[in-house]
Amino acid sequence: MEHQLYIYNTLTRYKEVFKPLNEGRVGMYVCGPTVYGDAHLGHARPAITFDLLFRFLQKLGYKVRYVRNITDVGHLEHDADEGEDKIAKKARLEQLEPMEVAQYYTNRFHDAMNDLNCLPPSIEPHATGHIIEQQQLVQEIMQNGYAYESNGSIYFDVEKYDKDHKYGILSGRSLENIKDASRELAGVGEKKNQADFALWKKAMPEHIMHWPSPWSEGFPGWHCECTAMGRKYLGEHFDIHGGGLDLVFPHHECEIAQAVASQGDQMVHYWMHNNMITIDGKKMGKSYNNFITLPQFFAGEHERLEKGYSPMTIRFFILQAHYRSTVDFSNEALQAAEKGLERLLDGWALLQNLTPAATSTIDIDVKKFREDCYDAMCDDLNSPIVISLLFDACRVLNIVNDKKATISAEDLAHLKETFQLFAFDILGLKAEAGSNNSGREEAFGKVVDMLLEQRTIAKQNKDWATSDKIRNELTALGFEVKDTKDGCTWKLNK
């Protein structure tokens, strides 16, 4: 590849050169949602982070198979091995079939991802559609001596595994620390020790989601699905596994153990994790009851929101920070993101209307500008640097528009291509904000254009009173009208 990508590997804790296992091809698995409620801002971050990676890998020339799962069984309350299935509980409370709940929120998740302009994955497997593969995984682990049966449930023997291999290599936790930190859980007596985790759970009579197995009528443990489905669609060894930092332990730690216990070695070459969205300094999540759903963000229907924010504002807000840094929610931060996005889109609109000159006198090397953008993205997806470079390009465009510098046709074309490539194709931003009011705003724009056309006619007729009246009234309504040598431009100051 022409450009060399470096990514931070959570497993080694180093930024490493990305070398796919198969030249020109990338296998990438990302943990998807548990579909028992609407996606919130915390869910948007991994979706946008790995959409950014997916887009960039393809622009580098790789053929990418991107797998993102849907968890529709096995994820118990508090991420533990006891308690009620999250989807089954929702179904019981709403008197629905569990698959009704799963389908409804899967559809809602897809709608939100589409609003955020996240590309769909290559494959989106569901846990309930891969029960056989998960049972096969459990059988292999048992045959290799790393699991045991207890009252019809199957548990992973972490202590035995730790003696032969090493448990905790991703999170950096030792087995003793894990034991000390484990909580006393109901039903923990089934396990040899508290660090063990469920591979298969025997269903209690009230449990409405269950399947036959060699051990009991039951359901798979939460950690099994990703190992089983990753192997099915990407093979025993694949390049990238991604997810939120909160999944490092126990979910991804358990995935590594399951892979090694079943096939003798690790599946994943690079582990990538985005950091958290926080609110008042605390992780945003359903378990903390401090989350704001994406539909609430878009509509502005939450007590913490001063107004609604468009999906592209949310996307820009997330991309403004490096994916491995924490992002704290605030209305002020979102409003700053809204203005930043508007600045970029104004720059793009200006780029379409500039008249080229014979030579360039701008203070930016457009070819170096493109390479700088590539360098930033190749440095572990440094989207904030790309955005700052795009802002710098907007500054230059405004100088050209104000006739304080010139740009040649070649440089203008190169700048357009680079802006399109990084702002829209890679960062995934859209000129249309995608809000529910976009059609109405388009109509408003046509009305403003019509008024300015009347103003132009008035000026031609030397009807200065009418010309000034139209301009002053538009200004009072929040429109910024600017007369230039080539005509008149306007924008709405939000």
Side-chain angles (χ1 to χ4, degrees):
M1 297 295 165
E2 181 182 354
H3 297 92
Q4 183 62 68
L5 173 63
Y6 287 77
I7 57 177
Y8 183 84
N9 189 347
T10 311
L11 183 64
T12 63
R13 293 165 180 76
Y14 285 105
K15 202 183 291 184
E16 301 178 2
V17 175
F18 176 67
K19 294 181 180 179
L21 296 169
N22 300 296
E23 187 175 355
R25 294 175 176 268
V26 177
M28 179 171 77
Y29 189 101
V30 176
C31 287
T34 301
V35 283
Y36 70 104
D38 277 327
H40 57 68
L41 192 62
H43 296 124
R45 192 164 198 198
I48 291 170
T49 295
F50 293 101
D51 180 65
L52 177 67
L53 177 59
F54 183 36
R55 287 170 178 270
F56 189 54
L57 286 169
Q58 291 180 101
K59 288 301 177 184
L60 290 178
Y62 292 108
K63 184 178 177 63
V64 185
R65 178 176 289 175
Y66 172 20
V67 181
R68 184 183 66 207
N69 66 297
I70 294 290
T71 298
D72 52 3
V73 69
H75 197 169
L76 305 188
E77 294 177 285
H78 313 300
D79 300 344
D81 286 333
E82 301 298 328
E84 198 167 4
D85 184 288
K86 294 182 177 184
I87 292 171
K89 180 179 180 179
K90 186 81 169 181
R92 177 177 57 78
L93 292 174
E94 298 191 6
Q95 297 184 323
L96 297 169
E97 281 290 328
M99 287 302 100
E100 281 186 273
V101 171
Q103 188 65 59
Y104 176 78
Y105 286 111
T106 298
N107 293 344
R108 300 268 290 180
F109 175 74
H110 288 157
D111 289 344
M113 293 303 100
N114 185 61
D115 288 340
L116 291 169
N117 202 28
C118 290
L119 300 174
S122 314
I123 303 172
E124 191 175 58
H126 291 232
T128 53
H130 297 78
I131 299 298
I132 292 173
E133 289 83 355
Q134 292 177 79
Q135 289 182 352
Q136 181 181 350
L137 174 68
V138 176
Q139 287 177 322
E140 291 171 2
I141 295 171
M142 290 190 75
Q143 288 166 3
N144 291 336
Y146 294 109
Y148 57 90
E149 183 176 353
S150 179
N151 298 326
S153 294
I154 308 298
Y155 292 98
F156 191 95
D157 193 334
V158 172
E159 193 162 18
K160 186 175 189 308
Y161 173 86
D162 189 62
K163 288 177 182 177
D164 296 342
H165 304 284
K166 177 64 179 172
Y167 186 75
I169 60 173
L170 186 67
S171 64
R173 304 188 188 197
S174 70
L175 181 58
E176 289 306 312
N177 287 339
I178 294 167
K179 286 180 180 178
D180 292 342
S182 295
R183 295 175 298 170
E184 291 290 342
L185 301 172
V188 77
E190 286 189 347
K191 303 179 184 181
K192 289 182 180 178
N193 70 63
Q194 289 178 331
D196 296 348
F197 58 89
L199 298 172
W200 184 265
K201 286 289 291 180
K202 179 181 179 180
M204 296 297 101
E206 66 275 10
H207 201 98
I208 54 180
M209 301 177 76
H210 50 80
W211 292 262
S213 80
W215 318 288
S216 64
E217 188 81 11
F219 54 92
W222 172 39
H223 309 304
C224 286
E225 63 177 287
C226 293
T227 306
M229 294 190 296
R231 181 167 65 180
K232 180 178 177 69
Y233 296 110
L234 298 173
E236 290 189 349
H237 304 97
F238 58 89
D239 300 297
I240 298 170
H241 194 319
L245 195 62
D246 57 331
L247 295 178
V248 169
F249 187 87
H251 189 48
H252 289 165
E253 196 75 78
C254 293
E255 281 192 56
I256 290 175
Q258 289 171 161
V260 175
S262 62
Q263 66 184 41
D265 59 0
Q266 293 187 46
M267 282 186 179
V268 181
H269 193 180
Y270 302 92
W271 287 90
M272 295 182 69
H273 295 90
N274 63 273
N275 214 321
M276 299 294 100
I277 298 282
T278 58
I279 185 165
D280 297 331
K282 189 174 184 179
K283 175 198 166 187
M284 181 180 286
K286 291 178 180 176
S287 57
Y288 296 108
N289 198 33
N290 66 348
F291 63 94
I292 305 173
T293 69
L294 292 175
Q296 286 173 329
F297 266 107
F298 302 157
E301 295 175 349
H302 191 280
E303 60 184 12
R304 284 183 174 267
L305 297 173
E306 293 180 5
K307 63 174 191 172
Y309 297 96
S310 76
M312 283 303 99
T313 297
I314 300 297
R315 187 177 181 102
F316 189 81
F317 169 67
I318 288 172
L319 291 172
Q320 273 189 309
H322 189 268
Y323 78 91
R324 287 194 289 114
S325 65
T326 303
V327 176
D328 197 52
F329 157 80
S330 71
N331 281 281
E332 293 76 16
L334 280 164
Q335 286 162 22
E338 188 174 59
K339 290 178 181 176
L341 175 62
E342 183 183 5
R343 181 181 167 194
L344 275 190
L345 297 181
D346 284 348
W348 173 249
L350 194 59
L351 193 52
Q352 311 313 304
N353 298 315
L354 288 179
T355 302
T359 59
S360 287
T361 61
I362 54 174
D363 63 348
I364 184 173
D365 182 334
V366 294
K367 292 181 180 178
K368 185 177 184 300
F369 168 63
R370 178 178 291 189
E371 287 307 306
D372 287 347
C373 288
Y374 267 115
D375 288 346
M377 282 300 299
C378 284
D379 184 14
D380 197 28
L381 308 182
N382 204 326
S383 58
I385 297 297
V386 175
I387 290 171
S388 71
L389 289 167
L390 291 170
F391 279 155
D392 197 41
C394 290
R395 174 189 61 80
V396 170
L397 294 172
N398 280 305
I399 291 172
V400 173
N401 188 56
D402 291 339
K403 309 301 180 185
K404 296 177 181 177
T406 60
I407 186 168
S408 69
E410 182 183 357
D411 282 353
L412 187 61
H414 202 82
L415 206 55
K416 282 182 181 178
E417 290 174 5
T418 303
F419 210 107
Q420 172 69 47
L421 175 63
F422 284 93
F424 304 121
D425 298 344
I426 293 174
L427 294 183
L429 301 171
K430 291 194 297 187
E432 286 294 326
S435 69
N436 293 331
N437 294 324
S438 59
R440 187 168 58 182
E441 288 177 1
E442 183 179 351
F444 287 158
K446 290 179 180 179
V447 171
V448 174
D449 288 339
M450 183 177 66
L451 286 170
L452 291 176
E453 186 177 343
Q454 294 303 311
R455 179 172 177 263
T456 300
I457 293 171
K459 287 174 70 177
Q460 290 170 352
N461 294 333
K462 301 188 185 312
D463 184 359
W464 309 119
T466 300
S467 171
D468 291 345
K469 186 174 188 297
I470 292 174
R471 178 181 182 132
N472 293 339
E473 291 195 1
L474 284 173
T475 301
L477 291 170
F479 293 92
E480 182 180 323
V481 179
K482 191 172 185 179
D483 291 309
T484 70
K485 180 181 176 182
D486 301 314
C488 181
T489 64
W490 66 270
K491 70 175 182 176
L492 176 60
N493 292 319
K494 297 180 181 178

